Amino acid sequence: MSVSQVIRLTCPHCHKTAEDTIYTQIDAQKDKAIARQVTNGQLFWQICPHCGQSIPLSYGCIYENHEKQFMVSLVPGIRQETAREAAEELKLRILDDAQAARWRLRLVPDANALVEKVRLFERGRDDRLMELCKYHVWLDVRQQYPDVVILALYYEPAGDGEKLTVLCKDRAPLAVPLSDEMLQAVRKTYNEALLAEPAVFCVDAFWAAEILNKKNR
């Protein structure tokens, strides 16, 4: 079941303190209401009871789905070079041998990345293909809009569909609809490179750039 604790936070806006409950381990099957707060992006925000301002939260948290066999662990500031050791320690602490062999395990550095990974895996998507799609979209946007500063690019469900949202400085976000055809094209292009990759625990833009570099050598 999920693990929670009560913490006391100081609002950066009004500087008053308040208590809040955070969840350091979330079981998607046993605590569906808490799991929904992850997928809708609400869990990592606190509303200050004094001034009403929203306060972003980021703390160590593990989201696990036993039915779909995946786990996403938020380790603030985690980097690719330290991810493997952290992942092996996490597997020993939480997963049994059978689970460790079957489950997808990802480590992410912040709350936004955790929410994105959970949304992807809950929809049955391969985050490796999605990161490669995101990287290609990023390259296309840079080519089409050379003067635009890209702040972030992320995946999100969009009604019955899915899209990639490109946040840009001083202009409205760009929305790129996702299709199965797009993902299949990426899979076909990079399937050989993905099969040759060892088990990976941090799948992000830096990982995607490395795959593209290896493909182009």
Side-chain angles (χ1 to χ4, degrees):
M1 62 184 298
S2 298
V3 178
S4 65
Q5 67 183 79
V6 176
I7 61 171
R8 180 167 288 276
L9 298 169
T10 299
C11 176
H13 304 283
C14 67
H15 306 295
K16 294 181 179 180
T17 60
E19 290 186 345
D20 194 18
T21 300
I22 64 171
Y23 289 83
T24 55
Q25 190 165 339
I26 300 160
D27 187 317
Q29 273 69 53
K30 294 181 180 178
D31 291 289
K32 293 183 179 180
I34 302 302
R36 280 195 297 271
Q37 289 186 48
V38 176
T39 55
N40 64 24
Q42 293 179 352
L43 188 68
F44 294 97
W45 290 88
Q46 182 202 41
I47 305 299
C48 176
H50 304 291
C51 68
Q53 292 290 328
S54 297
I55 307 168
L57 305 176
S58 186
Y59 52 86
C61 176
I62 297 169
Y63 182 103
E64 55 189 274
N65 186 317
H66 291 257
E67 179 182 341
K68 298 184 177 179
Q69 298 183 330
F70 74 84
M71 179 182 292
V72 183
S73 177
L74 196 174
V75 183
I78 190 70
R79 297 172 62 88
Q80 189 74 252
E81 54 265 30
T82 57
R84 182 168 297 278
E85 181 179 349
E88 295 298 337
E89 179 183 341
L90 184 64
K91 286 194 292 185
L92 288 173
R93 181 161 57 89
I94 294 182
L95 302 177
D96 59 36
D97 291 341
Q99 289 173 327
R102 297 193 308 267
W103 282 39
R104 283 177 294 180
L105 174 60
R106 297 290 187 264
L107 276 64
V108 295
D110 57 57
N112 289 335
L114 181 139
V115 171
E116 182 181 57
K117 290 293 183 193
V118 168
R119 285 173 172 173
L120 279 167
F121 289 153
E122 289 290 359
R123 286 211 169 200
R125 291 302 193 186
D126 185 331
D127 63 329
R128 301 171 307 160
L129 296 181
M130 197 63 67
E131 285 298 337
L132 290 166
C133 278
K134 287 166 62 178
Y135 199 82
H136 277 285
V137 167
W138 180 76
L139 292 174
D140 289 344
V141 171
R142 285 187 60 194
Q143 185 174 18
Q144 294 180 43
Y145 307 97
D147 296 329
V148 167
V149 177
I150 301 175
L151 302 176
L153 197 161
Y154 58 89
Y155 162 91
E156 60 180 335
D160 293 333
E162 299 159 289
K163 66 179 179 178
L164 295 178
T165 297
V166 186
L167 295 182
C168 306
K169 184 178 181 180
D170 300 327
R171 66 160 294 160
L174 303 173
V176 179
L178 274 170
S179 65
D180 287 333
E181 291 76 16
M182 181 189 299
L183 290 170
Q184 288 302 324
V186 171
R187 183 187 297 276
K188 183 177 180 180
T189 301
Y190 294 99
N191 188 57
E192 185 176 339
L194 293 177
L195 290 174
E197 279 293 297
V200 61
F201 301 105
C202 276
V203 176
D204 54 17
F206 298 104
W207 171 87
E210 289 179 4
I211 295 294
L212 264 69
N213 288 335
K214 290 178 182 178
K215 175 73 175 175
N216 295 329
R217 283 175 188 166

